[in-house]
Every structure is written in structure tokens, then in C-alpha cells.
Amino acid sequence: MMVTMTRLGILAFGLLAFGLAAMTAGGAGAQSARSSPELSADRMQMVSCLSQSGTAASSCIGSVAVTCVRTASGDRRAAEADCARREEAVWRERLTFASVAVMRNADGGARGQFAALQVAWEGYAAQKCAFYGSMQPSARVAGMQAGCMLREVASRSLELERMVGQRSPVRRPSNPPSIIR
């Protein structure tokens, strides 16, 4: 049984690594095309919004994208899609860090479940956003899909960040009770 759990733990970690690679693949292209100062500014804007939002962290979803669209010139629809992907890159980084923290705090069986859950979640989000995009006129597909992925990734990131924040370390008593025989 121990060998199976060890193999399961290795499999779970592999699945999570694969899932994280798949999750960050969409954001990686956007990040590589962006300059480091721009990405840093987006991160700082998100951190600022989250620190000011208190318990309403979901109110920050879209904050980078909205600012980006307002300052963009040219085709508004293209800007909406590009700006949504730009913010999604920031949320995907946060999602990756939160996923690693969940894996670090979980035992072998829970790691396997979490890895499978993340892979399934990524598939669900991709299918959901493709469906929503397919329901739109062709000129709006890219923007609707990008906006949907932004919301899905941001929501999942916040969910995992809450989960990690709620987990408290196990405290050992300074004077453990002794068993009297």
C-alpha cells in the first residue's frame, strides 16, 4: 500500500505539473510579448486592488483589463481581448503560486485528487469559454472567450488563495500530555 501511495503522489505531482503547464501556456505567450515593466505594473495594480478590497477580492477581477482598454487606441474589440489576456496572465501567476501552496500542504492522496481536479477544472474552463464564444457574433468571439477565461482563472485563483489562507499549521502543545499507567 505504501508503494502505491508513493506512486500515486508522484503521479499526482506529474499531473499537477502538466496541468500547471497547460494553465500557464495561455498566459505565457502574452507574457513573453509584454515587457517586464508592463507585467510588473499589472502585478502591482492587482496587489494594490486586492489589498484595498478587503473581503471583496472578487471586485478586482477586470481591474487591469478595464484600465488597459480605456488607455488603448485602435480597434476596441481587439483591445478588449488583448487586455483580458494581459490581466489573465497576472491571475494565472497567482493561480500557479496558490496551486503549489495547496500541493505543499496536502498529503499524498489529497495531492492526487487536487492534481486531477486542476486538470479537470482547466478543461471545464476552456470548454465553457469556447461555448460562450460560439454563442456570439464572429466579431465578438475573441473578446468574449478572453473575458471568460479571465473571470474563470481569477475566480479559481481567489478560491485557492482563500483555501491556502484558511489552512493553519498544526500546532503542537508545548507540554504534551503524558499517559499515566
Side-chain angles (χ1 to χ4, degrees):
M1 183 67 174
M2 188 60 144
V3 172
T4 305
M5 291 305 287
T6 304
R7 287 182 184 162
L8 181 60
I10 292 168
L11 176 63
F13 189 75
L15 281 173
L16 181 63
F18 174 76
L20 291 176
M23 287 188 294
T24 57
Q31 286 177 6
S32 64
R34 296 174 50 207
S35 64
S36 182
E38 184 180 58
L39 181 59
S40 294
D42 291 348
R43 278 189 205 118
M44 292 306 294
Q45 182 179 350
M46 186 61 61
V47 167
S48 175
C49 182
L50 289 169
S51 67
Q52 294 172 7
S53 69
T55 59
S58 62
S59 66
C60 293
I61 298 172
S63 61
V64 171
V66 167
T67 303
C68 173
V69 169
R70 284 183 182 153
T71 61
S73 59
D75 182 17
R76 183 172 172 87
R77 287 189 178 146
E80 288 173 355
D82 291 343
C83 292
R85 288 186 195 105
R86 179 174 155 176
E87 181 174 338
E88 180 191 346
V90 175
W91 285 110
R92 280 198 181 272
E93 283 182 345
R94 296 182 69 90
L95 178 61
T96 300
F97 289 129
S99 296
V100 169
V102 169
M103 288 292 280
R104 191 176 358 167
N105 292 331
D107 65 8
R111 274 196 222 63
Q113 288 176 319
F114 179 72
L117 176 64
Q118 283 301 101
V119 170
W121 172 83
E122 185 66 34
Y124 163 77
Q127 290 297 316
K128 176 182 177 180
C129 295
F131 172 73
Y132 284 159
S134 72
M135 302 295 288
Q136 302 299 316
S138 61
R140 300 201 62 208
V141 170
M144 290 301 291
Q145 285 181 327
C148 176
M149 282 306 291
L150 162 61
R151 288 185 301 279
E152 291 297 317
V153 171
S155 296
R156 183 66 176 159
S157 175
L158 291 172
E159 177 184 13
L160 294 183
E161 288 173 356
R162 278 190 305 272
M163 182 190 314
V164 170
Q166 289 173 354
R167 254 191 102 95
S168 58
V170 176
R171 288 194 256 170
R172 306 263 182 228
S174 58
N175 249 346
S178 59
I179 299 176
I180 303 173
R181 294 186 191 224

